[in-house]
Amino acid sequence: MATADIHIAEDIHHGDHHDQQQSFVTKYIFSQDHKTIAKQFLITGIFWALMGGLMSLVFRLQLGFPEATLEWLRPIFGGWITESGKLDPEFYLAMVTMHGTIMIFFVLTAGLSGTFSNFLIPLQIGARDMASGFMNMLSYWFFFLSSVVMFISLFIETGPASGGWVIYPPLSALPQAMSGSGLGMTMWLIAMVFFIVSTMLGGINYITTIINLRTRGMSFTRLPLTIWAFLLTATLALLSFPVLVAAVLLLIFDRSFGTSFYLSDIYIGGEALPNSGGSPILFQHLFWFLGHPEVYIVILPALGITSEIISTNSRKPIFGYMAMIGSLIAITLLSFVVWAHHMFVTGMNPFLGSVFVLLTFIIAVPSAVKVFNYLTTLWRGNIIFTPAMLFSIGLVSFFITGGVTGLFLGNAALDIQLHDTYFVVAHFHIVMGSAAFFGMVAGVYHWFPKMFGRMMDARLGYIHFWMSFVGIYSVFFPMHYIGIAGFPRRYYSFTNFDAFNSYTDLNALITIAAFITMAAQFIFLFNFFYSIFRGRKAPQNPWRSNTLEWTAPINPEHGNWPGEIPTVYRWPYDYSKPGAKEDFIPQNIPFSETSESNLPNETESIKLEGFDKKDAIVVDDTEE
Amino acid sequence: MMNLVLIVGGILVLTIIIALVRVSSLISVARKEGTKVDKSSNRVNGALMLIFLIVSGIVTIWYSISTFDTYNLPLASEHGAVTDRLFWTTMAVTGFIFMLTNILLFYFSYRYQYNEERRAFFFPDNNKLEILWTVVPAIVLTLLVFSGLTAWHDITSKAPKDSEVIEIMGYQFAWATRYPGKDDKLGNYNYRLIDVENLFGLDFSDRNAHDDFMPRELHLPKGKPVLFKIRARDVIHSVFAPHFRLKMDAVPGMPTQFWFVPTKTTEEMRAETGNDEFNYEIACTEVCGRGHFTMRLLVIVDEPEDYEKWKAGQQPWLAKNPGYLSKIPKEMRELAMINAGISLDEK
Ligand code: HEM
Ligand SMILES: [Cu+2]
Ligand SMILES: [Cu+2]
């Protein structure tokens, strides 16, 4: 820790120096301040969420009202609307693909981790900034570059990538197979490589910062669960995304340089291709080796955020802090060894399938532990329904509802029937999509005052929550029935099959619910942008929370704390401690000032507190 | 359509109005001090938690019961009975967990709303509880997983020797089927031999290929094991026969398979469902391009005798496309004609 301190001292110097000559460009655009970068990620994420959301409305229209004419969309989509006023089936697939890609990578990975890891890590561990502000800046700008490439791909003549967000070859490898596999796919691949570079740069920074730049007293067992979640998320990303790079590179070779990594025995477009010896299944293994950890990359930060918010607003310590960390670690490790549960019916060796069934069921246990711990945290709490709290409770509900359906899909014998039906769509939209989205929104409501120094309007927040919560359940819960009935996903229309000729009513209902849910998001957007400029001024610690960020000035400058960084003396969850004056004791309050509420071992540790002071020997208590 | 536009427009306008209304109140709030808990809205949200729980609970239970026949697909295979039993066992177990935890979540939220007079209960950890809810789910999941693995093991076991072997090949955007013919052996193929007529790329230098036939629709015998040999020739497709609880990807360059026993003829299923037009179908469940949603294959399950009769009436592909005889090596040509049942003087 001593080294970290020296660093910080330099940093202040640095910061001061910069502040004097900061131009608009270095302050708001090429900024190295983690707070600004966080906001850049957030705004870009919101933009993409809007795009992805609108796309889903387009294909929901097709599914809910297949008879309707979409002539009125011609001004926007031009030739993608057919003569008869319908969506072109390939355009439908393009929309589905881009929706998935955007939501999973650009919104729920970059928008969520990028925003909150950046914003919260230095503020909650007590650091001036990230370990490398420059790499952090690069991280955003690679994401921006990736966004630009992906965005342009929406407008090219052959359309964007269309083979599903999982881009299985040979479909994605052969431009003859569909028009989206031409230039659109190339751009998708390029955008993803930039995206991965961005994620790597960010991840390395998050991990380094958390390990090296914690303030005095901030041991690992005093870290807020948000930070634990960000640490493990970054680790996951760092270990799994490179595999996607490999998969993508091989695909690029197959597409452009005539190699046969994924291609073999193909006859398409009236000719037999020369490729032989490749395996399309190899791609799936590589893809899901990232793909499964990716779903946890998406959910872990959301779980970290809600742990923090639920504890604060229940006015209770999070139940089982160590168990929460333990289950986060268990999930992280296990998520590397379950990937093939996405591939039960690819024809892989059934014995291998059995192994993945077992491992998949093991990962359900730590997930269950988390849920029970949330419930116990609420039990006998003193619950304040801030908008952030509502969204966190909603997240827990989604996590349960979507988690139990995982137990159907993880059982290979059942997955035979359910794979690639709407049951899977229901499962992952609830457990991942909606839950992580709620985590992100909860985070925005909760930390908005720290980000912008103003409050968002709570009542609009309530309306936003209830419309979204009911809306999302109405969209995705009915999909379970449709899935059990066997309806395959990524179908443009169901009229070709007798077996799938029902449920027009339910599909229409889903579409209407989707529109309502989307409308609710405009309330949020209004609230967000309005409050940035006109919201009520935030007090110092609006949620009466324990974590360090609330000790920083309401509008922190680059460097976060004007003077010395506060020292940490306790864990972040001393809420409603018996005997305490208030129902919260921030992390920077020493035990020597709270003799009325100290537990016996805490009273003892007062002796050590003196040593923590600046010029004394720094006690490194990271070992616990 | 116009209606929908109106609905959407209406919602948007409403949104804007709400927003505008709030603008004014925001300004008035702007001066108020603020970390106090707003009691009335806290009470409203707490009550809504309970209302949501009750209403959504009732709707879900009512809908699940009243529309059971819509989403529960009729079943027509032996292993499907095992799958279905496992499905409903899992439903019972997870349904219980689902209801219990969601009820606790919303009930606690309602019950323990903020009250200035009260303090939350300081309860940071309890190892007994943690162990309890690690071990109990672990045991329950173990039970589920073992019945699941047994089923999986049986379903994916080797097909019985006497299975009817039928090949299904996916291509953009249809299925093609091939039966082995009189010799009960599927002939070799080579994807380089594929052309507009020879969809499968049959290699007629292999005598087993001479009598293979390729009907438009799939016929299966009731009560006999059937082995699907599955492949694709362009991109990945997936054979999905929902009534047989069967799914297997069709992968170019990597043949796959799936065996099962159909248990009900099409006629029997028509009687059972009361739908005279009922038909078994195979759909594609791996996105494969613009026609993905049109890849339908009609399946007919016959009584074994009818099935044999139907089979006997099918003409080998070679007989239907005698032009391909010229591609067969001279010395084999006669043999091929005999195998394909082409009368020798025709030529
Ligand atoms: C109880 C734990 C869980 C289990 C046992 C489980 C199991 C599964 C299985 C077996 C599949 C493959 C289904 C198929 O394609 O046939 C699947 C799909 C999926 N799961 Fe889960 N899951 C669990 C939790 C989660 C969580 C927490 C997330 C994300 C945060 C998640 C996200 C997804 C996604 C995104 C897919 C679909 C990917 C696609 O095909 O496009 N799951 N899950
Ligand atoms: Cu997975
Ligand atoms: Cu398909």
Side-chain angles (χ1 to χ4, degrees), chain B residues 141-154:
Chain B
L141 293 181
T142 310
L143 296 179
L144 276 183
V145 91
F146 274 104
S147 43
L149 285 179
T150 318
W152 171 248
H153 179 260
D154 294 343

Side-chain angles (χ1 to χ4, degrees), chain A residues 165-166 288 295-296 299 341-342 344 360 363-364 367 399 403 406-407 409-410 415 418-420 424 427-428 431-432 489-490:
Chain A
W165 79 278
V166 298
W288 287 113
V295 306
Y296 283 94
I299 198 68
H341 66 208
H342 297 271
F344 287 137
T360 300
I363 205 171
S367 311
F399 195 63
L407 299 177
L409 300 172
D415 191 51
L418 297 173
H419 175 67
D420 270 347
V424 177
H427 161 69
F428 73 79
V431 76
M432 177 181 80
R489 64 194 282 205
R490 299 181 177 134

